[in-house]
């Protein structure tokens, strides 16, 4: 087979971008007031606006898998990239899928029949639509994956150091993480503290912290590589560093010199295990209307209020708490962030800080850290716990963490999706039915090839957003797209993987059943899919 035709791919991308521009202009006309996008009108027109976000996300994935295939070469890589490009082109002519029950016709996003017809007749488009995602192409993808013993191509990492990091944590995930996942999940146990200490010694919690504060400053791309492999072993382990990433960014970018010098080395070393205390029972993504209060009394603040869905709350010994310090400002401007230290809880006494109560929230999956609803009743913290030393900066400080948290969550999703693929591929090659392995049946090899292809697209858009962040470029749009696509693909891979297992997939003794419930949370936390689409749409329309 010939190498990837980058010129032809770029020609198709150029036509896709023109068509997307028409859709964007059509949606902008619907949601603008006085020549500018209006938040109220965007809310009223969520279907076309979020459909536009879906098209933009697929278009970015097509760009990144094109760049990847042209850079790394290879028959398998060329086939996968061509398949993604072709499928994205077909979606632009028909409908975009936001979820299993939400398929938005492109006519509702503003593309006319004439727009679509002209696009399909364009020679640069027609060539791809004629041969880019034929059944025989997916058969070849599945064949090449089998020849590579289940490997799905060159990941396209930037350098040998990242390859070495990936190999190290791949081995750790296989030997130390995956074997304990069933026990953690089945018995709702915490991740062993010994494993957390080992991860700390390997530098997992200091990957993105500057060297002057004890970190390795390897950047977000390295964070993605480590997170992906650990999450492939078990999402509860791959997620351990999420709260450290959030706390580290909060303190590095918003803290005082004293706070940076005190907290960052301890975060990097794993001495501080943080938890993010933001969400409230009546305010999930609507952080502007938080009710938890922090009232200044001399050299101390007293915190009162209710929080929920607080991960790792009992074991954590550092809480980043968002609370309202100005009751006269009921919006973002009245919020402040606090660095609240406490003792690690035990099974007998999960919470020992005076005034702090906690109740565990039983969950379907994503176990290993446990979720809690917390109650603060006159919890006393020193004034020096105020992040940055200035009130009213809390939400702005939190916003600085969104890009990194969403990039890291996209990497978690890629890891979980890869776990689903690995389990499905192994089962499909080993399970004999009607005298041959399942993978030799077209409906099965087609699923395997699709899983591998879209996982690679998710991986490449995630790596791209990480590279942008490492270059200190604004990447909230790219990070949001990576998180939106990777979470969707992870769930689809887990669902399809279970289907390949048939009845056995419904049995808890098979790990695919655990991966299914673990994957479901990915489109909810760190920005639900609907919120993510809203953010992407607003950014696109404001450009």
């Amino acid at each position: 087979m010939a190498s990837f035709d980058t010129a032809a791919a770029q020609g198709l991308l150029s036509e896709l971008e023109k068509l997307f521009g028409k859709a964007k202009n059509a949606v902008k006309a619907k949601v603008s007031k006085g020549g500018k996008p209006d938040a109220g009108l965007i809310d009223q027109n969520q279907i076309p606006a979020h459909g536009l976000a879906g098209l933009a996300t697929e278009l970015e994935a097509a760009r990144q898998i094109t760049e990847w295939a042209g850079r790394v070469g290879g028959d398998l890589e060329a086939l996968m990239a061509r398949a993604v490009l072709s499928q994205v082109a077909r979606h632009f002519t028909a409908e975009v899928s936001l979820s299993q029950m939400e398929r938005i016709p492109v006519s509702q996003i503003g593309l006319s029949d004439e727009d679509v017809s002209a696009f399909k007749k364009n020679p640069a488009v027609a060539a791809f639509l004629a041969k880019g995602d034929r059944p025989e192409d997916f058969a070849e993808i599945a064949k090449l994956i089998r020849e590579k013993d289940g490997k799905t191509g060159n990941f396209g990492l930037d350098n040998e150091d990242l390859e070495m990091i990936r190999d190290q944590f791949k081995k750790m995930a296989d030997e130390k993480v995956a074997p304990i996942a069933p026990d953690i999940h089945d018995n709702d146990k915490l991740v062993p503290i010994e494993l957390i200490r080992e991860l700390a010694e390997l530098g997992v919690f200091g990957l993105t912290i500057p060297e002057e504060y004890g970190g390795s400053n390897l950047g977000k791309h390295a964070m993605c590589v480590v997170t992906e492999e650990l999450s492939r072993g078990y999402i509860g382990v791959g997620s351990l560093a999420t709260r450290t990433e959030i706390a580290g960014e909060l303190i590095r970018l918003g803290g005082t010199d004293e706070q940076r010098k005190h907290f960052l080395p301890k975060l990097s070393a794993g001495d501080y295990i943080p938890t993010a205390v933001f969400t409230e029972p009546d305010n999930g993504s609507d952080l502007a209307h938080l009710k938890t209060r922090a009232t200044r009394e001399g050299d101390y603040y007293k915190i009162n209020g209710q929080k929920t869905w607080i991960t790792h709350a009992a074991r954590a010994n550092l809480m980043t708490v968002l609370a309202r310090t100005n009751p006269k400002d009921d919006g973002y401007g009245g919020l402040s962030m606090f660095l609240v230290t406490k003792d690690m809880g035990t099974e007998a006494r999960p919470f020992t800080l005076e005034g702090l109560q906690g109740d565990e929230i039983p969950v379907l999956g994503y176990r290993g850290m446990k979720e809690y609803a917390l109650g603060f009743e006159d919890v006393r913290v020193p004034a020096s716990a105020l992040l940055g030393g200035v009130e009213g900066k809390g939400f702005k400080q939190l916003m600085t963490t969104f890009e990194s948290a969403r990039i890291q969550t996209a990497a978690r999703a890629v890891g979980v999706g890869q776990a689903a693929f690995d389990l499905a591929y192994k089962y499909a090659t080993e399970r004999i039915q009607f005298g041959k392995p399942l993978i030799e049946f077209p409906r099965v090899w087609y699923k395997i090839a699709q899983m591998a292809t879209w996982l690679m697209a998710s991986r490449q858009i995630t790596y791209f957003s990480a590279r942008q962040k490492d270059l200190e470029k604004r990447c909230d749009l790219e990070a949001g797209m990576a998180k939106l696509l990777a979470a969707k693909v992870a769930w689809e891979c887990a669902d399809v993987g279970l289907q390949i297992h048939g009845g056995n997939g419904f049995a808890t003794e098979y790990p695919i059943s655990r991966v299914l419930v673990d994957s479901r949370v990915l489109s909810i936390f760190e920005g639900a899919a609907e919120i993510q689409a809203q953010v992407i749409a607003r950014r696109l329309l404001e450009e």
Side-chain angles (χ1 to χ4, degrees):
M1 182 187 143
S3 61
F4 184 63
D5 190 342
T6 303
Q10 292 294 348
L12 174 62
L13 283 172
S14 178
E15 295 306 317
L16 282 168
E17 286 163 359
K18 291 176 187 176
L19 196 60
F20 176 77
K22 292 181 178 181
K24 180 178 172 180
N25 288 336
V27 175
K28 186 175 284 190
K30 276 189 174 184
V31 302
S32 293
K33 182 185 293 185
K36 293 183 178 181
D38 177 78
L41 288 175
I42 293 175
D43 283 345
Q44 291 173 29
N45 290 275
Q46 275 194 347
I47 301 301
H50 289 198
L52 184 73
L55 287 179
T57 298
E58 290 200 5
L59 179 56
E60 190 59 58
R63 288 192 192 104
Q64 296 313 314
I65 204 165
T66 294
E67 189 279 333
W68 162 79
R71 176 162 48 91
V72 304
D75 289 353
L76 175 59
E77 290 80 359
L79 282 165
M80 293 167 79
R82 201 171 72 186
V84 169
L85 279 160
S86 299
Q87 290 187 356
V88 170
R90 292 187 192 282
H91 295 166
F92 267 69
T93 66
E95 61 184 20
V96 62
S97 174
L98 298 182
S99 70
Q100 289 90 331
M101 298 295 290
E102 295 175 290
R103 293 174 175 82
I104 312 302
V106 294
S107 60
Q108 293 184 17
I109 307 173
L111 295 179
S112 67
D113 291 344
E114 291 76 15
D115 292 331
V116 171
S117 178
F119 173 75
K120 291 169 72 173
K121 289 177 181 177
N122 185 291
V125 177
F128 267 84
L129 294 182
K131 63 179 182 179
D133 60 344
R134 300 168 300 177
E136 51 265 42
D137 292 318
F138 286 105
E140 185 66 15
I141 289 172
K143 174 177 172 289
L144 290 171
I145 289 172
R146 290 188 75 182
E147 289 175 0
K148 296 175 183 290
D149 295 325
K151 293 183 175 62
T152 56
N154 184 335
F155 285 10
L157 297 176
D158 285 351
N159 53 58
E160 290 184 2
D161 289 342
L162 288 174
E163 292 284 3
M164 290 173 61
I165 290 170
R166 178 173 178 263
D167 289 344
Q168 178 184 19
F169 284 94
K170 182 179 187 302
K171 182 178 180 182
M172 186 177 194
D174 290 338
E175 296 179 357
K176 297 190 176 183
V177 178
I180 64 173
D183 186 41
I184 293 172
H185 176 80
D186 294 344
N187 299 300
D188 197 14
K189 290 183 177 180
L190 290 169
V191 173
I193 194 67
E194 296 79 13
L195 180 57
I196 294 177
R197 298 302 180 209
E198 186 173 353
L199 292 172
E201 289 175 7
L202 291 172
V204 169
F205 304 118
L207 280 169
T208 63
I209 292 176
E211 292 181 27
E212 63 183 295
Y213 299 114
S216 56
N217 199 34
L218 288 175
K220 309 303 180 185
H221 196 178
M223 174 193 70
C224 285
V225 173
V226 172
T227 298
E228 180 183 335
E229 287 301 333
L230 293 177
S231 298
R232 184 180 60 81
Y234 181 52
I235 189 174
V237 175
S239 298
L240 284 167
T242 306
R243 273 137 295 280
T244 302
E245 183 68 24
I246 293 170
E249 290 277 275
L250 281 171
I251 296 164
R252 182 176 67 84
L253 298 173
T256 64
D257 286 341
E258 287 185 1
Q259 288 169 338
R260 285 192 284 267
K261 290 175 183 176
H262 175 75
F263 286 101
L264 291 179
K266 293 181 182 297
L267 284 170
S268 179
D271 295 333
Y272 272 141
I273 297 177
T275 184
V277 186
F278 309 144
T279 307
E280 295 186 354
D282 295 329
N283 299 291
S285 299
D286 184 14
L287 295 177
H289 297 102
L290 287 180
K291 297 177 182 177
T292 297
R293 299 288 177 88
T295 307
R296 181 76 181 256
E297 294 186 2
D299 293 333
Y300 289 85
Y301 283 89
K302 282 186 177 178
I303 301 177
N304 287 276
Q306 305 294 317
K307 297 288 187 179
T308 192
W309 294 112
I310 310 305
T311 306
H312 224 182
R315 182 183 268 168
N317 53 4
L318 172 64
M319 301 186 291
T320 52
V321 182
L322 190 63
R324 189 168 301 283
T325 49
N326 183 359
K328 294 180 181 179
D329 186 338
D330 61 358
Y332 294 125
L335 301 176
S336 300
M337 189 73 68
F338 293 87
L339 306 173
V340 181
T341 58
K342 69 180 185 67
D343 292 333
M344 280 189 181
T346 64
E347 207 168 311
R349 294 189 66 198
F351 299 98
T352 59
L353 182 64
E354 186 174 352
L356 180 65
Q357 303 291 327
D359 294 309
E360 186 180 346
I361 303 172
V363 291
L364 289 172
Y366 186 50
R367 295 173 179 172
M369 291 180 287
K370 296 183 182 289
E371 305 292 326
Y372 287 89
L374 300 182
F376 290 77
E377 185 175 349
D378 287 339
V379 173
R380 203 164 174 254
V381 300
S384 60
L386 175 65
L387 182 65
V390 180
E391 292 184 0
K393 304 292 185 183
F395 185 72
K396 288 184 178 179
Q397 291 164 339
L398 181 58
M399 284 183 68
T400 65
T401 73
F402 285 169
E403 291 177 348
S404 294
R406 285 168 182 168
I407 292 168
Q408 204 258 4
T409 301
R412 285 190 278 174
V414 173
V416 172
Q418 187 66 50
F421 172 85
D422 291 346
L423 292 168
Y425 175 80
K426 185 174 186 293
Y427 191 86
T429 54
E430 294 178 355
R431 176 75 165 176
I432 306 298
Q433 290 289 280
F434 305 102
K436 58 184 177 181
L438 284 177
I439 199 168
E440 294 184 10
F441 291 92
R443 285 289 300 278
V444 177
W445 57 246
Y446 186 77
K447 288 181 175 73
I448 291 291
Q450 287 276 21
M451 291 166 72
T453 296
W454 280 96
L455 266 174
M456 189 59 77
S458 300
R459 180 177 289 112
Q460 295 311 316
I461 195 174
T462 299
Y463 287 177
F464 171 65
S465 63
R467 292 185 186 106
Q468 294 295 99
K469 187 67 175 175
D470 284 337
L471 292 171
E472 298 185 352
K473 295 182 178 181
R474 179 179 179 178
C475 63
D476 55 332
L477 184 61
E478 294 84 354
M481 290 176 173
K483 197 270 181 184
L484 183 67
L485 180 65
K488 180 174 180 285
V489 169
W491 165 253
E492 290 174 347
C493 285
D495 189 32
V496 168
L498 191 144
Q499 185 69 26
I500 288 172
H501 280 70
N504 286 335
F506 208 63
T508 56
E509 68 179 286
Y510 282 80
I512 191 66
S513 65
R514 167 176 52 78
V515 173
L516 180 77
V517 293
D518 286 341
S519 70
R520 190 60 190 86
V521 75
L522 289 160
S523 61
I524 298 173
F525 62 16
E526 298 300 337
E530 293 78 8
I531 293 295
Q532 212 64 66
Q534 182 83 348
V535 170
I536 293 168
R538 290 185 67 168
R539 276 278 282 112
L540 289 168
L541 295 167
E542 287 167 359
E543 288 180 346

